[in-house]
Amino acid sequence: MEKINRDEVAYVANLARLTLDGEAVIKFTTQLNKILLYMDKLNEVDTTGVEPMSHAIARKNAFRSDTVAASLTIEASLANAPDAKGSCFQVPRVIE
Amino acid sequence: MELCGLTIHELQDKLRAGETTSAEITASVLKRIDAVETEVRAYITLMRESAIEEAARADEAILRGEIKALTGIPIALKDIFCTKGVRTTCGSRILHNFVPPYDGTVVEKLRAAGAVITGKTNMDEFAMGSSTETSFFGVTRNPWDLTRIPGGSSGGSAAAVAADECIASLGSDTGGSIRQPAALCGVVGLKPTYGRVSRYGLIAFASSLDQIGPFTKDVEDCAILMNVISGYDPRESTSVPEDVPDYRAFLGRGIEGWRVGIPKEYFIDGIDPEVEAAIREAIRVVEKAGARCIEVSLPHTDYCVAVYYIVAPAEASSNLARYDGVKYGFRSEDNRDLLDMYKKTRSAGFGEEVKRRIMIGTYALSSGYYDAYYRKASQVRALIKRDFEQAFADCDCILTPTSPTPAFKIGEKTDDPMQMYLSDIFTISANLAGIPGISVPCGYTKSGLPIGVQFLAGHFQEGRLIQFASAYETHAKIEKRRPAL
């Protein structure tokens, strides 16, 4: 049974902001099908009424007081930028 | 024995007695790196000059009588920990030029304890892998057999300790990435309880599973490093404000009367016969040490890999959305517009395994599939955690193999992702349940490859885990060998 076809792989790639060429789409379709078929075994488990678990250690939200603390300077923040201008990150044009 | 072949506690004894200096220890480690690194390739970035300077400062401190937990000891860091002013790549092209403006909490703690940092070790890209073969910076080789993988994802950190290219190291473990390479390289590796060690400055893979821990040459060194890195950190909201005991106090206490659970589901078809024999022998050793082994059941074991390979990629697809070529790292050329830049940057910046996991995760979280995959996996995860709670009602700790096989050949599993994923079959459950686990050497195959045994305990029971591992180490008397490099 096919779990995911090539069009769906291309669709998911776009959601993930990835470009896959034709060969990669074919390869990923085969591999993802194999992986997703393996995941089907979870359907053997009766999970009726089981609360989904997201973290291993139950914790309340961690609040802190809203006080100003030391932070990075603009120069340090921009030091790794592929492109920067003044105090801003520079990116290709967004709006025509 | 050269200095680089000794443990933290042996070297600290020598430093205290004035028999050696950190400069000599560091020189010994650097000389060893020069001799074997072209074959092992454990490091992505060596920090030779700063290590020599830090050693000199450590020697000045010792002269003043200031010896802290790690003063003068050369330690390596997986290249997933942010190091101020030192390139941190996470094994990826997309971060190949990233120089963090700050040190992660564990790095700060190592420095505050007087450690000498030798460099940043190789790893699977974004810690996604079980063999260190997905690194953008090439494959690390197993020091025991250079045609084999060191395990992963923290393969460089494990290999560096096994090859004496550092005295100890730190790694991270999301589904076995400390314990599996520790087993395959013949060293001790511990994954602490979720929340025990601050992850501030750890590059995120799967945030509900990631945990930092040590690689060491023996259990005592493991306790020493756990004393340094454990504890609550207000900058890391999932770290837990739970008291940190002195883990060294658990060494040598013995395990008489302990109940040790042997989960029947962990002795499966497909486990290597030499590994199984070594684990059966480990069971005899702990019984001789006075513990009582009982069969326990972890009924949902067979579902761990499926749960993990939904939950971890789902979290990764979200965590890795930040790599877009804007703020740091690699950016593609000739971009038509912003969206084109995102796609080109990510497509050229990530390797194949990372893309595969982003795809699985994005799919599992996408509209129409969320309930069938992510929600279902999160429910089964709750049952896996419950399995452990029920088992620990009957036993003090659990004993299992760490990995179903010894180190496999380079390239053996790279074309079959599902086969690679199954090599984490015995380690994943501890991450899903958030419990601590340790891998300790328990013998060698006939061809001389190391085998590891895994011990698991309840939340925040690292002390008891160290107590158990220390007793096992003492009674097993596994022959100390050194890789023939």
Side-chain angles (χ1 to χ4, degrees):
Chain A
M1 195 186 92
E2 193 176 52
K3 306 288 289 184
I4 185 168
N5 62 34
R6 288 178 197 173
D7 288 345
E8 288 168 317
V9 167
Y11 170 77
V12 173
N14 181 54
L15 289 180
R17 297 292 181 254
L18 292 169
T19 307
L20 301 180
D21 62 26
E23 209 174 299
V25 169
I26 292 169
K27 189 173 177 185
F28 270 20
T29 305
T30 308
Q31 290 177 338
L32 294 189
N33 266 307
K34 196 171 169 188
I35 293 164
L36 293 172
L37 271 175
Y38 180 82
M39 305 307 183
D40 268 355
K41 72 192 293 162
L42 293 181
N43 296 327
E44 297 165 9
V45 186
D46 181 4
T47 51
T48 316
V50 177
E51 194 60 29
M53 163 186 168
S54 57
H55 275 264
I57 307 290
R59 288 228 61 203
K60 296 192 188 91
N61 203 359
F63 291 105
R64 61 171 173 79
S65 57
D66 185 17
T67 47
V68 178
S71 59
L72 293 179
T73 61
I74 289 173
E75 292 73 32
S77 304
L78 293 175
N80 278 287
D83 196 5
K85 193 173 183 183
S87 60
C88 297
F89 294 101
Q90 183 137 316
V91 294
R93 184 182 293 275
V94 181
I95 305 164
E96 287 301 325
Chain B
M1 180 69 94
E2 296 162 67
L3 293 170
C4 65
L6 300 179
T7 62
I8 297 174
H9 57 93
E10 287 165 345
L11 289 168
Q12 286 232 310
D13 288 347
K14 285 185 179 294
L15 286 169
R16 282 206 180 82
E19 292 169 16
T20 189
T21 61
S22 177
E24 285 174 357
I25 297 166
T26 304
S28 171
V29 167
L30 292 173
K31 189 177 153 211
R32 178 73 176 166
I33 290 172
D34 289 337
V36 303
E37 177 62 5
T38 50
E39 300 202 271
V40 179
R41 304 172 193 170
Y43 285 93
I44 292 176
T45 304
L46 268 175
M47 294 162 63
R48 188 181 295 271
E49 281 165 26
S50 58
I52 291 168
E53 286 167 23
E54 285 162 18
R57 280 206 296 277
D59 285 330
E60 287 165 21
I62 293 166
L63 283 177
R64 291 194 303 270
E66 297 164 18
I67 301 192
K68 287 183 269 188
L70 298 172
T71 295
I73 305 296
I75 291 185
L77 295 168
K78 185 178 185 179
D79 206 16
I80 196 167
F81 300 111
C82 286
T83 41
K84 187 174 184 176
V86 178
R87 180 175 78 143
T88 300
T89 69
C90 222
S92 183
R93 183 183 189 200
I94 213 157
L95 287 176
H96 74 99
N97 58 356
F98 173 58
V99 179
Y102 67 99
D103 275 334
T105 297
V106 290
V107 180
E108 279 182 355
K109 286 186 168 195
L110 289 185
R111 292 191 190 285
V116 170
I117 309 290
T118 54
K120 309 294 294 289
T121 60
N122 199 16
M123 56 182 285
D124 281 298
E125 185 179 7
F126 284 101
M128 296 179 192
S130 311
S131 66
T132 315
E133 291 171 292
T134 72
S135 171
F136 176 66
F137 300 89
V139 178
T140 293
R141 294 149 158 194
N142 192 311
W144 297 90
D145 178 347
L146 297 170
T147 68
R148 291 175 189 273
I149 56 96
S153 67
S154 313
S157 281
V161 174
D164 298 328
E165 293 186 76
C166 60
I167 305 304
S169 65
L170 291 187
S172 62
D173 188 316
T174 306
S177 286
I178 291 173
R179 291 159 289 154
Q180 185 254 21
L184 271 39
C185 288
V187 299
V188 174
L190 185 143
K191 181 204 90 77
T193 307
Y194 185 78
R196 173 83 295 181
V197 177
S198 166
R199 302 177 299 176
Y200 178 75
L202 171 78
I203 296 175
F205 161 15
S207 302
S208 81
L209 302 163
D210 298 340
Q211 193 55 208
I212 296 166
F215 288 95
T216 56
K217 294 176 188 175
D218 66 11
V219 177
E220 181 166 353
D221 278 6
C222 178
I224 291 170
L225 270 178
M226 281 301 293
N227 277 351
V228 172
I229 64 174
S230 300
Y232 173 69
D233 176 4
R235 293 177 297 190
E236 212 271 75
S237 60
T238 61
S239 71
V240 176
E242 177 96 14
D243 284 346
V244 180
D246 174 7
Y247 291 113
R248 289 185 87 163
F250 290 87
L251 299 163
R253 276 193 193 173
I255 52 169
E256 248 171 87
W258 279 44
R259 294 160 307 162
V260 181
I262 313 294
K264 57 182 179 196
E265 293 85 359
Y266 280 59
F267 292 87
I268 48 161
D269 291 343
I271 179 167
D272 181 277
E274 288 188 276
V275 170
E276 178 158 1
I279 300 304
R280 299 278 177 208
E281 178 56 30
I283 292 172
R284 280 190 285 278
V285 167
V286 299
E287 282 184 330
K288 260 205 302 209
R292 189 161 57 85
C293 291
I294 54 168
E295 186 179 279
V296 294
S297 178
L298 299 166
H300 295 90
T301 296
D302 196 30
Y303 304 104
C304 287
V305 172
V307 170
Y308 178 83
Y309 280 96
I310 293 170
V311 171
E315 295 182 12
S317 71
S318 167
N319 272 328
L320 271 60
R322 75 191 68 183
Y323 303 104
D324 56 8
V326 174
K327 299 176 293 299
Y328 39 68
F330 168 78
R331 178 189 287 191
S332 62
E333 305 280 333
D334 302 323
N335 305 305
R336 270 195 322 275
D337 52 33
L338 192 64
L339 186 61
D340 188 51
M341 183 187 87
Y342 291 161
K343 287 188 173 182
K344 278 187 182 153
T345 295
R346 291 165 61 79
S347 299
F350 292 135
E352 190 176 302
E353 179 60 24
V354 171
K355 286 184 206 170
R356 188 156 38 237
R357 300 221 195 167
I358 290 174
M359 291 288 291
I360 298 168
T362 306
Y363 179 77
L365 292 176
S366 65
S367 176
Y369 297 101
Y370 179 90
D371 283 349
Y373 289 101
Y374 187 73
R375 188 182 152 83
K376 181 77 181 179
S378 303
Q379 287 176 309
V380 180
R381 184 179 178 188
L383 298 176
I384 291 165
K385 186 185 177 208
R386 193 186 295 169
D387 283 354
F388 277 105
E389 285 161 0
Q390 285 167 354
F392 286 129
D394 296 325
C395 63
D396 300 290
C397 73
I398 287 173
L399 183 157
T400 81
T402 307
S403 163
T405 66
F408 45 91
K409 291 273 187 187
I410 291 168
E412 190 179 320
K413 298 188 182 183
T414 38
D415 290 334
D416 190 348
M418 211 49 245
Q419 271 309 308
M420 186 72 89
Y421 297 171
L422 288 168
S423 57
D424 300 327
I425 193 159
F426 298 142
T427 45
I428 279 174
S429 54
N431 301 81
L432 293 173
I435 59 171
I438 188 168
S439 180
V440 182
C442 71
Y444 305 87
T445 65
K446 283 189 206 77
S447 58
L449 296 173
I451 302 170
V453 59
Q454 173 176 244
F455 308 130
L456 304 169
H459 291 138
F460 298 104
Q461 296 298 310
E462 286 83 358
R464 289 175 71 76
L465 215 45
I466 285 167
Q467 180 175 348
F468 191 80
S470 151
Y472 170 76
E473 188 180 52
T474 304
H475 285 87
K477 297 191 184 68
I478 302 297
E479 179 197 348
K480 288 267 176 210
R481 297 186 197 171
R482 204 176 182 207
L485 284 166

